[in-house]
Amino acid sequence: MGATAGAVWGRAEQQDFRSRVRGTLLGTAVGDALGAPLDGLSLDEIREVHGPLGLVDLALGHGGHDRRGAVTQLTQLTLFSLDGLIRAQVRRDTGAWHPPTDLHRAYLRWAATQHDWGPDERRKEDGWLAREEWLYARRSPARACLLGLADATMGTPDAPKNPGETGPEAAARSAPFGLLVGWEPQLVLQLAVECAAQTHGHPTAYLAAGAYAVVVHALARGESLDAGVQRALQLLSARPGQQPVADALQHALGAVRQGMPTPARVEELAGDGSAEGLLAVAVYCALVGEDVRHGLCLAVNHGGPSGAAGALTGGLLGALHGETALPPAWLAELEGRPTMLVLADDFAMEMTQGPALHGPGGSSPGWLARYPRA
């Protein structure tokens, strides 16, 4: 797998990229926080609690958390995806270049937060993110994620963990792969697929994750959402088991032409709540939303997995428009926002200026302490 680590970035390009990285991460998180309180509710129940328009603002967190803006495991794992990608770039200097392994190690660091008492138990080589105390809150981790990361054996597409698992959680942590803007789209797809298979082994789940990463990749490079979907369809066409994912993307594009968006249409796209249905919801809501707020509210007001739908939609909208398009009142209450901003900026700096941080000319001790090569 290759990247353009040595490419020269202009200042304006760096600023635009950083805004899209921030937008992708914050958008994923705010969509997760918006939708999570609705998980498990039918559309009628949502309207009964929140009024005839459904949920239009942040609510108290999923599972009775006494704050608005609380995130779930979807955001936690997205953060560790970014951390793993930075670590992969840093470890490349050592000649150990196998990003799926680095991502697996990152996901195991997340899994440890679901069992350890807190960051005091972490080793120095775990890096700074694993020592963030707020990440040790257990936020309804999906059974597939806990089982897939319960031991040190890494699932692969040929020998996946949980081969019957079709849920959307792996796709919902896959936006960071799309931020590898120096990579070719087919390599982005492959990496997302390999990392999704570590917990979600059904082809529709890992191919939905790959397709989602390809769409984010197009947006992060300044292309249109429709162009990203078309590229994902092209790359999927040669993959065994891709038909349900391709059909879901085509269904989303067709729904755009069917008049005003409604919760019923979103619910129909979501289907049984599996990965390809939630991918269709995200694409549809990002295409028809009048702005980020409208697109996210449309994505979460249905009887399916609202948190995952919000996270997937938010990642697309954030990559498309950048951080300044996200609703500031929601960002102000978003749990963990300071951590997300630091991680996003670190990722952008690594991708645009990595050789100045670690390379033949010397290494920054502070950077290697944050992202150890171990």
Side-chain angles (χ1 to χ4, degrees):
M1 294 179 179
T4 55
V8 177
W9 292 66
R11 184 173 297 176
E13 290 175 310
Q14 289 185 40
Q15 290 174 343
D16 178 72
F17 179 60
R18 186 176 71 171
S19 176
R20 292 181 194 272
V21 173
R22 284 183 164 198
T24 302
L25 186 54
L26 293 172
T28 297
V30 83
D32 175 25
L34 181 71
L38 304 183
D39 281 341
L41 300 180
S42 68
L43 184 56
D44 287 342
E45 289 169 331
I46 292 170
R47 288 170 170 162
E48 186 177 328
V49 174
H50 298 285
L53 296 178
L55 181 71
V56 295
D57 199 359
L58 295 177
L60 292 180
H62 181 53
H65 305 306
D66 58 352
R67 61 159 294 163
R68 290 157 38 113
V71 300
T72 76
Q73 58 130 15
L74 302 175
T75 296
Q76 293 174 343
L77 276 163
T78 301
L79 294 176
F80 279 93
S81 291
L82 270 180
D83 178 64
L85 288 172
I86 297 173
R87 296 275 284 266
Q89 291 292 117
V90 172
R91 278 171 51 80
R92 190 179 190 180
D93 295 343
T94 69
W97 178 241
H98 190 248
T101 297
D102 292 301
L103 269 294
H104 186 242
R105 289 172 174 169
Y107 294 151
L108 291 178
R109 290 194 291 275
W110 168 80
T113 68
Q114 304 300 291
H115 304 292
D116 291 350
W117 287 104
D120 290 345
E121 298 186 42
R122 304 318 287 265
R123 307 162 301 163
K124 185 161 63 170
E125 55 265 35
D126 286 332
W128 77 278
L129 186 65
R131 293 195 290 272
E132 290 287 288
E133 191 165 355
W134 70 275
L135 286 172
Y136 285 74
R138 195 173 167 113
R139 296 291 169 75
S140 307
R143 185 169 178 269
C145 293
L146 293 176
L147 287 176
L149 302 167
D151 57 45
T153 303
M154 183 175 74
T156 67
D158 291 331
K161 293 289 187 76
N162 305 313
E165 181 55 61
T166 61
E169 295 86 8
R173 66 173 185 249
S174 295
F177 303 119
L179 299 174
L180 297 168
V181 294
W183 289 38
E184 291 300 317
Q186 63 266 27
L187 297 179
V188 169
L189 177 93
Q190 182 62 27
L191 180 57
V193 163
E194 290 192 32
C195 294
Q198 295 174 11
T199 59
H200 288 66
H202 195 282
T204 55
Y206 60 67
L207 290 174
Y212 180 67
V214 169
V215 177
V216 172
H217 186 251
L219 301 177
R221 295 171 84 163
E223 300 176 40
S224 71
L225 181 52
D226 187 69
V229 173
Q230 296 301 332
R231 183 166 298 125
L233 287 167
Q234 176 192 0
L235 293 174
L236 283 172
S237 63
R239 296 273 179 159
Q242 56 82 33
Q243 200 62 51
V245 181
D247 288 347
L249 286 171
Q250 295 283 17
H251 194 183
L253 295 178
V256 173
R257 300 187 289 272
Q258 292 175 3
M260 290 290 288
T262 64
R265 187 164 292 125
V266 172
E267 204 156 70
E268 193 253 332
L269 286 169
D272 63 0
S274 56
E276 75 276 15
L278 273 291
L279 173 63
V281 168
V283 167
Y284 173 75
C285 293
L287 282 169
V288 302
E290 297 167 10
D291 54 25
V292 172
R293 180 186 289 267
H294 178 240
L296 284 175
C297 287
L298 186 63
V300 302
N301 280 289
H302 59 85
S306 297
L312 289 161
T313 306
L316 294 181
L317 290 169
L320 178 62
H321 299 296
E323 63 168 325
T324 56
L326 301 174
W330 290 356
L331 292 179
E333 295 189 70
L334 181 63
E335 180 185 28
R337 182 166 65 106
T339 303
M340 296 177 203
L341 288 172
V342 171
L343 185 63
D345 288 355
D346 279 2
F347 179 87
M349 190 155 62
E350 172 62 43
M351 293 301 139
T352 60
Q353 302 177 74
L357 295 165
H358 53 89
S363 297
S364 161
W367 194 253
L368 297 184
R370 293 173 66 73
Y371 303 101
R373 288 181 169 133

